[in-house]
Amino acid sequence: MALADEAINKIKEMIVSGALRPGDRLPKEADLAERLGLSRNSLREAVKALSMIRVLDVRQGDGTYVTSLEPHLLLDLLGFVVDFHTDDAVMHFLEVRRLLEPAATALAAQRMSAGDVEKLQAVLDELDADPSIEALVANDLEFHRRIAAGAANPVLSSLLDGLSGPTTRARIWRGLTQEGAAARTREQHQAIVDAIATRQPELARSWATVHVAGVEEWLRRAL
């Protein structure tokens, strides 16, 4: 095992064991290196690596802290990676959405408050009768973001937020080229809201599957 990897594992063990908690400041470099039986160079490399994935926060002139470890922070790296996807990888992102989004929608049907369901309906009602593609896609992104949040699972929500970006161009392309895509999207969105509002998780799951699979199937044929 490389020395830097050993250092990473030892810091991780401190966090997992509770010796270091979210928000805690790490001991001084020399003290921590001695405590863990590491060289200062390997410790420095470990801190650099863990700061890149948002586990540690290096504050110049102040010290190094354990972050909040909230899922949205730790999954930021996913967003960074997907920003460099190639067009043919969009199918892979859509496949993952098809696996995760119906589950999130079913949870939302069980967990969303009545007030949040009303706000979800309001998102659909904001859309004009004949919206531009840009307005339709923006509305679509907000609609799915609220459902992911309504699942009340921050890890699932963060994963879906990270996956939404790579599929945006596919949504725009579909809206521009597929006849009836806008009307179909609105109808399916409304069916999803109705299922959530009436607390029917399996119906909500089914409509979400149909909705995401429709984009996936269209893109598969288009490519």
Side-chain angles (χ1 to χ4, degrees):
M1 179 184 293
L3 292 177
D5 291 340
E6 181 184 358
I8 289 171
N9 284 335
K10 288 188 174 182
I11 295 173
K12 184 178 74 172
E13 287 171 7
M14 292 181 70
I15 295 172
V16 171
S17 69
L20 286 173
R21 297 182 178 278
D24 283 355
R25 180 178 176 176
L26 268 63
K28 291 182 179 179
E29 184 181 270
D31 295 338
L32 185 58
E34 182 178 357
R35 176 178 172 180
L36 297 179
L38 301 166
S39 71
R40 294 178 68 172
N41 281 339
S42 60
L43 178 60
R44 203 170 292 131
E45 288 298 314
V47 168
K48 181 179 179 181
L50 290 170
S51 67
M52 289 180 66
I53 60 172
R54 309 295 292 275
V55 171
L56 297 179
D57 178 19
V58 179
R59 305 175 189 174
Q60 294 297 326
D62 187 12
T64 300
Y65 293 80
V66 180
T67 67
S68 66
L69 302 180
E70 288 292 323
H72 72 276
L73 279 179
L74 302 183
L75 290 171
D76 271 353
L77 188 61
L78 171 65
F80 179 80
V81 171
V82 299
D83 281 344
F84 291 94
H85 73 283
T86 55
D87 286 343
D88 59 352
V90 173
M91 289 302 306
H92 298 150
F93 292 117
L94 282 170
E95 285 178 354
V96 176
R97 270 193 70 204
R98 177 166 47 82
L99 293 171
L100 296 182
E101 196 150 328
T105 308
L107 287 174
Q110 298 170 294
R111 298 175 177 177
M112 282 186 85
S113 68
D116 285 339
V117 175
E118 290 179 2
K119 292 176 182 176
L120 185 63
Q121 180 64 60
V123 169
L124 297 188
D125 294 341
E126 287 173 359
L127 207 57
D128 294 337
D130 186 22
S132 66
I133 296 302
E134 291 80 5
L136 182 68
V137 172
N139 188 271
D140 181 66
L141 291 171
E142 177 63 13
F143 177 80
H144 289 283
R145 186 194 68 78
R146 286 181 177 270
I147 290 177
N153 182 316
V155 175
L156 182 56
S157 178
S158 295
L159 282 169
L160 288 171
D161 282 348
L163 290 168
S164 66
T167 62
T168 300
R169 281 192 296 170
R171 296 171 183 178
I172 294 173
W173 186 14
R174 183 193 189 203
L176 288 170
T177 60
Q178 186 181 39
E179 185 178 354
R184 192 175 299 110
T185 295
R186 297 180 75 146
E187 290 170 2
Q188 292 172 355
H189 280 183
Q190 188 61 62
I192 290 170
V193 173
D194 291 344
I196 292 174
T198 54
R199 306 302 179 189
Q200 298 185 72
E202 292 311 312
L203 182 59
R205 184 196 304 273
S206 297
W207 272 115
T209 301
V210 168
H211 181 53
V212 178
V215 180
E216 183 184 352
E217 180 58 28
W218 168 82
L219 185 60
R220 194 184 305 279
R221 291 196 303 268
L223 293 176

